[in-house]
């Protein structure tokens, strides 16, 4: 099944450890379980999303680094099949490629060029990004239609998010369609700091804050060690339920955006 309206959704923020990789893989599986055709692209040299989905990144299979570095490598050759989704892995080669990108003309558009070749085959391409600024994050921002920004509910780094938003404005020159779809509270628990952080995010970003909140759960730490999503490790759990709910909320937001401006959302590449 080919999708005429595929969406490239990146999970991105400059702060480390906010739940980006956790969100990328579990949101991907939530969409897959609702019948969507999914490609996960790992754009972090740490390879956490790849590992979490059961891929051993030390095996030198074809990875996203090869696709960015060498245009003659077919995108199809980098696509791994897994229950529920296709996956393009990342490994430490990506750190080497990032250094090479600094001297490559238009290197930050390479990812967009490569994903354009396969995007019509998917309903969602979900990208897990690195927390550090540089050619890799810029590449992600250049290809994304929608950004989901996870916020650790124990620590609100407003300055960092403002810097990310500044980068997004710059990126509009090469990727006018980019849109911040929403801010996602992660690792939510009953502490006072958590409710204060949530308040502060709502104060700053209002309705852009997702209603869905991802609660703290040990399942998010355990599932990746087995190469499983929470839908495999703990089906029916609150952890799985939170990401199902998020997938529904995201679908709703994208549908609403398309109704407002059908020609500018997704499929713009
Ligand atoms: N809702 C949650 N409840 C409990 N633990 C969580 C939750 N979400 C993520 N974690 C755990 O927190 C740690 C950081 O999460 P994750 O790796 O997804 O963050 P990240 O933003 O991708 O980090 P990095 O910036 O290093 O790429 C991981 O050990 C993960 O298992
Ligand atoms: Mg990560």
């Amino acid at each position: 099944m080919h999708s005429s309206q595929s969406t490239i959704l990146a999970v991105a923020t400059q702060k480390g450890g906010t739940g980006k990789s956790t969100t990328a893989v579990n949101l991907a599986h939530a969409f897959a379980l609702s019948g969507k055709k999914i490609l996960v692209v790992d754009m972090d040299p740490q390879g956490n999303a790849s590992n979490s989905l059961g891929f051993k990144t030390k095996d030198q299979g074809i990875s996203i680094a090869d696709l960015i570095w060498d245009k003659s490598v077919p995108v199809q050759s980098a696509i791994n099949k897994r229950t529920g989704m296709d996956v393009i892995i990342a490994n430490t080669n990506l750190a080497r490629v990032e250094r090479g990108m600094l001297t490559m003309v238009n290197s930050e558009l390479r990812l967009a060029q490569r994903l354009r070749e396969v995007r019509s085959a998917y309903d969602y391409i979900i990208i897990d990004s690195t927390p550090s600024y540089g050619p890799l994050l810029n590449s992600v921002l250049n290809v994304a239609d929608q950004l989901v920004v996870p916020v650790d509910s124990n620590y609100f780094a407003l300055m960092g998010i403002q810097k990310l938003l500044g980068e997004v404005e710059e990126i509009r020159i090469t990727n006018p369609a980019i849109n911040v779809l929403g801010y996602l509270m992660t690792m939510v628990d009953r502490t006072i700091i958590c409710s204060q952080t949530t308040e502060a995010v709502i104060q700053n970003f209002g309705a852009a804050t997702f209603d869905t909140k991802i609660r703290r759960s040990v399942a998010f730490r355990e599932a990746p060690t087995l190469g499983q999503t929470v839908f495999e490790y703990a089906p029916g759990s609150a952890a799985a339920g939170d990401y199902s709910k998020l997938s529904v909320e995201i679908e709703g937001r994208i549908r609403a955006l398309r109704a407002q401006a059908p020609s500018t959302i997704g499929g713009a590449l």
Side-chain angles (χ1 to χ4, degrees):
M1 253 277 280
H2 286 252
S3 169
S4 58
Q5 286 197 310
S6 65
T7 299
I8 300 185
L9 187 152
V11 186
T13 187
Q14 80 305 323
K15 190 172 176 299
T18 55
K20 290 180 292 298
S21 303
T22 304
T23 298
V25 302
N26 291 298
L27 179 62
H29 209 169
F31 279 134
L33 290 170
S34 68
K36 301 281 186 283
K37 187 99 172 63
I38 304 297
L39 172 66
V40 172
V41 178
D42 192 345
M43 271 295 282
D44 186 349
Q46 297 179 97
N48 290 338
S50 309
N51 290 145
S52 297
L53 291 168
F55 295 98
K56 304 275 174 281
T57 54
K58 281 206 204 90
D59 302 344
Q60 298 296 295
I62 297 172
S63 71
I64 193 67
D66 301 295
L67 297 187
I68 293 172
W69 190 247
D70 183 352
K71 282 206 256 187
S72 71
V73 175
V75 179
Q76 287 299 340
S77 68
I79 293 179
N80 300 280
K81 301 276 174 195
R82 181 205 192 277
T83 313
M85 65 197 87
D86 291 354
V87 183
I88 300 180
I89 67 156
N91 55 34
T92 51
N93 291 341
L94 191 56
R96 212 162 41 233
V97 163
E98 184 172 36
R99 288 192 292 276
M101 288 171 84
L102 295 169
T103 55
M104 195 197 285
V105 176
N106 280 342
S107 62
E108 293 171 1
L109 299 175
R110 276 281 175 93
L111 180 70
Q113 287 167 356
R114 301 319 307 273
L115 293 184
R116 185 188 295 149
E117 298 170 35
V118 293
R119 77 173 288 166
S120 65
Y122 297 98
D123 295 305
Y124 285 94
I125 296 180
I126 297 183
I127 307 177
D128 182 26
S129 82
T130 162
S132 40
Y133 286 107
L136 295 180
L137 181 55
N138 287 342
S139 299
V140 171
L141 298 179
N142 262 317
V143 71
D145 303 313
Q146 304 294 342
L147 291 185
V148 170
V149 181
V151 180
D152 177 348
S153 63
N154 292 281
Y155 184 82
F156 179 32
L158 179 61
M159 297 278 280
I161 293 181
Q162 281 169 339
K163 183 161 187 290
L164 177 74
L165 296 179
E167 304 262 320
V168 167
E169 285 312 312
E170 286 297 317
I171 287 288
R172 279 190 212 287
I173 298 165
T174 41
N175 181 16
I178 192 168
N179 177 51
V180 179
L181 190 64
Y183 299 85
L184 174 67
M185 303 309 298
T186 63
M187 309 191 215
V188 170
D189 55 27
R190 291 170 186 276
T191 59
I192 292 171
I193 176 83
C194 174
S195 43
Q196 286 172 341
T197 307
T198 307
E199 272 298 298
V201 172
I202 291 171
Q203 248 172 35
N204 277 278
F205 303 116
T209 315
F210 287 110
D211 292 334
T212 307
K213 299 186 172 31
I214 309 299
R215 286 167 285 181
R216 182 177 291 282
S217 163
V218 69
F220 290 118
R221 288 182 192 275
E222 292 168 348
T225 64
L226 301 173
Q228 293 181 335
T229 70
V230 290
F231 294 93
E232 293 158 329
Y233 180 75
S237 63
D242 287 351
Y243 277 104
S244 291
K245 198 169 157 220
L246 179 66
S247 71
V248 173
E249 189 174 4
I250 286 179
E251 277 271 286
R253 284 197 182 191
I254 290 175
R255 214 177 306 120
L257 286 168
R258 283 206 176 113
Q260 280 169 22
S263 61
T264 57
I265 310 300
L269 268 178

